[in-house]
């Protein structure tokens, strides 16, 4: 099976941002006031890699290239390293979609869709939803809605349905506060940070730390004729002379070590190995300078990296980045280790499958989602609990000419795969996993289930997805928490609060979840892509919760 994704591989983040006015891939953006803003100063993290194109792009187009599991795993790690923040993750995903020929539809514009089309939208620059409309979706004739004719009412079954895979772009880290600096002992300078998500705190000590995220920059617009404008009485009009201001979001990735969180020497804490609970306000402040830098140096650094003055920086969402290189390792190349495997491993594998399979021929709509803010509860305007998915599906339905009732009928027979990594049995602490419902590295995609419904899997959705994988010959595993141990939750059931449909929770088995450096199985990258391809290739027909047909 050829698992090379259609959009290809080693992409690095670009600084040109998508806005509600649409996306211009050139070096020069046009702001909402019509002025040209040059973003070439912070263009690409690696222009050579992007110019090289997708992995395998130099091969003959007629040649069928089957990459090895190791090559597929390394391609995933390239994607992760190009995605140091949720904003960069979304930008990387949008780059792939652009290269695959998708049409970007900002939320603020009118949408016009047609069968066979491929589209995407985004919110906040950190959440992305893409979809491919099946060529067999029976679009109502022009004017049918205005005439009071509801096309799907004449069909025995809904006119179409959705097949959705959803992952998330964010990972636990530390965010730099608005006032970023703290005085330290002597003349040292520290960064003032707070936790984003539930990370393993000690894993952030003694690591080379960079910074990544977005920065909002003010651009003064000098409009001709603004100065000296006069009112009706000929006097100078003070309001007309106000200088317009344009504000732009800029991606920033400082991919060199600029900070570190130093451990306290064991000689100063002899009991440290008996248990250590770091105080985040005291122990987890990164060291930024030993004395050469003074107050204001952080803002000056950010401005210098963006090629602007410090007074032009209005606000920022910047996060610490562990700069340890991602790698495939082991004598048998069995492992992958990297920051942010949770959940960029699922974001990558589901996107690869989504693009590889392409638009369906049948009357279904394939949907890919990558949400922000899962690690902090998803209840934001761009999280899985927001209206983003609901708004998108409603607008798809409306743009294709269907009624509100048609949408409800479609959702009743739709299916979601919620993709978020699972806990592999730990080699040193196997007693922390359930005796039977446990998963291992390189054992295949994991179906997760919990009696308390922290996962959206139930018997019906498990049966449907297990049958899909079995038919495709893709290995699968099972995970459930120990009965005396509380587990985590993920985005499937949270999303269902806004858009209810049958759903199953799955993920790749991994170790050290929420560490700053996580480990998973190198073979499971290909397993996951194959699993998601099987899902997107199938035509899943659902009859309530009583029966399903996998065509």
């Amino acid at each position: 099976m050829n698992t090379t994704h259609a959009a290809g591989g080693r992409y690095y983040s670009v600084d040109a941002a998508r806005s509600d006015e649409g996306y211009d891939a050139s070096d020069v953006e046009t702001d909402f006031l019509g002025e040209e803003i040059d973003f070439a100063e912070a263009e690409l993290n690696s222009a050579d890699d992007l110019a090289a194109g997708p992995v395998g792009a130099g091969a003959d187009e007629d040649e069928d290239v089957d990459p090895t599991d190791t090559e597929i795993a390394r391609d995933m790690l390239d994607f992760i390293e190009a995605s140091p923040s949720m904003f960069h993750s979304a930008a990387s995903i949008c780059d792939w979609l652009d290269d695959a020929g998708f049409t970007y539809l900002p939320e603020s514009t009118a949408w016009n869709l047609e069968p066979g089309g491929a589209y995407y939208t985004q919110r906040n620059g950190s959440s992305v939803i893409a979809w491919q409309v099946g060529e067999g979706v029976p679009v109502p004739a022009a004017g049918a809605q205005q005439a009071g004719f509801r096309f799907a009412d004449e069909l025995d079954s809904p006119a179409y349905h959705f097949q959705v895979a959803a992952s998330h772009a964010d990972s636990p880290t530390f965010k730099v506060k608005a006032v970023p600096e703290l005085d330290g002992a002597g003349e040292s300078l520290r960064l003032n940070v707070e936790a984003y998500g539930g990370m393993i705190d000690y894993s952030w000590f003694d690591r080379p730390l960079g910074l990544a995220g977005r920065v909002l920059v003010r651009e003064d617009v000098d409009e001709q004729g603004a100065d000296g404008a006069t009112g009706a009485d000929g006097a100078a009009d003070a309001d007309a002379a106000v200088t317009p201001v344009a504000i732009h979001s800029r991606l920033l990735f400082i991919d060199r070590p600029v900070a570190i969180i130093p451990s306290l020497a064991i000689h100063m804490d002899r009991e440290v190995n008996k248990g250590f609970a770091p105080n985040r306000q005291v122990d987890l402040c990164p060291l930024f300078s030993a004395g050469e830098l003074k107050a204001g140096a952080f803002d000056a650094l950010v401005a210098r990296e963006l090629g602007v003055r410090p007074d032009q920086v209005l606000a920022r969402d910047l996060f610490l980045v562990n700069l340890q290189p991602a790698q495939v390792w082991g004598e048998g190349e069995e492992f992958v280790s990297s920051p942010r495997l949770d959940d960029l491993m699922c974001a990558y594998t589901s996107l690869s499958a989504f693009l590889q399979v392409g638009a369906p021929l049948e009357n279904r709509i394939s949907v890919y989602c990558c949400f922000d803010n899962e690690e902090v509860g998803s209840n934001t305007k761009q999280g899985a609990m927001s209206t983003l998915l609901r708004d998108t599906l409603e607008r798809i339905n409306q743009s294709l000419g269907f009624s509100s009732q048609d949408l409800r009928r479609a959702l009743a027979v739709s299916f979601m795969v919620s993709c978020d990594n699972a806990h592999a049995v730990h080699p040193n602490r196997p007693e922390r996993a359930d005796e039977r419902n446990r998963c291992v590295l390189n054992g295949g995609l994991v179906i997760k289930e919990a009696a308390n419904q922290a996962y959206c899997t139930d018997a019906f959705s498990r049966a449907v997805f297990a049958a899909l994988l079995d038919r495709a010959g893709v290995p699968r595993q099972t995970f459930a928490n120990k009965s005396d141990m509380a587990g985590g939750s993920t985005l499937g059931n949270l999303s269902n609060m806004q858009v209810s449909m049958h759903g199953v929770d799955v993920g790749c088995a991994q170790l050290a979840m929420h560490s700053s450096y996580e480990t998973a199985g190198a073979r499971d990258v290909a397993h996951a892509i194959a699993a998601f391809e099987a899902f997107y290739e199938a035509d899943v027909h659902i009859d309530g919760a009583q029966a399903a047909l996998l065509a």
Side-chain angles (χ1 to χ4, degrees), residues 329-381:
W329 63 277
E331 183 62 22
E333 296 188 321
E334 301 171 78
F335 306 99
V336 288
S337 290
S338 172
R340 304 180 299 283
L341 284 176
D342 173 24
D343 188 34
L344 291 183
M345 189 172 186
C346 284
Y348 170 86
T349 53
S350 56
L351 178 61
S352 296
F354 175 72
L355 295 176
Q356 176 70 17
V357 172
L361 297 176
E362 302 85 356
N363 64 329
R364 70 180 185 273
I365 300 175
S366 299
V367 182
Y368 168 85
C369 306
C370 191
F371 293 108
D372 190 9
N373 301 135
E374 191 276 343
E375 297 294 357
V376 291
S378 294
N379 55 347
T380 61
K381 66 182 182 297

Side-chain angles (χ1 to χ4, degrees), residues 384-460:
M385 207 188 301
S386 74
T387 63
L388 176 56
L389 180 58
R390 185 186 72 192
D391 291 345
T392 301
L393 300 188
E394 286 179 349
R395 295 186 68 180
I396 292 171
N397 178 82
Q398 183 181 37
S399 180
L400 290 172
F402 293 107
S403 69
S404 177
Q405 179 171 225
D406 296 334
L407 175 62
R408 271 65 191 173
R409 295 181 68 190
L411 291 174
V413 294
S414 294
F415 197 92
M416 171 184 281
V417 180
S418 170
C419 317
D420 201 359
N421 276 1
H423 301 292
V425 60
H426 197 283
N428 298 332
R429 300 301 296 268
E431 74 281 0
R432 295 299 182 98
D434 185 82
E435 293 180 60
R436 295 295 183 183
N437 297 279
R438 55 172 57 180
C439 54
V440 298
L441 303 185
N442 294 319
L445 199 66
V446 182
I447 300 177
K448 305 185 291 183
E449 191 169 352
N452 65 5
Q453 293 297 289
Y455 304 128
C456 62
T457 307
D458 57 20
F460 182 82

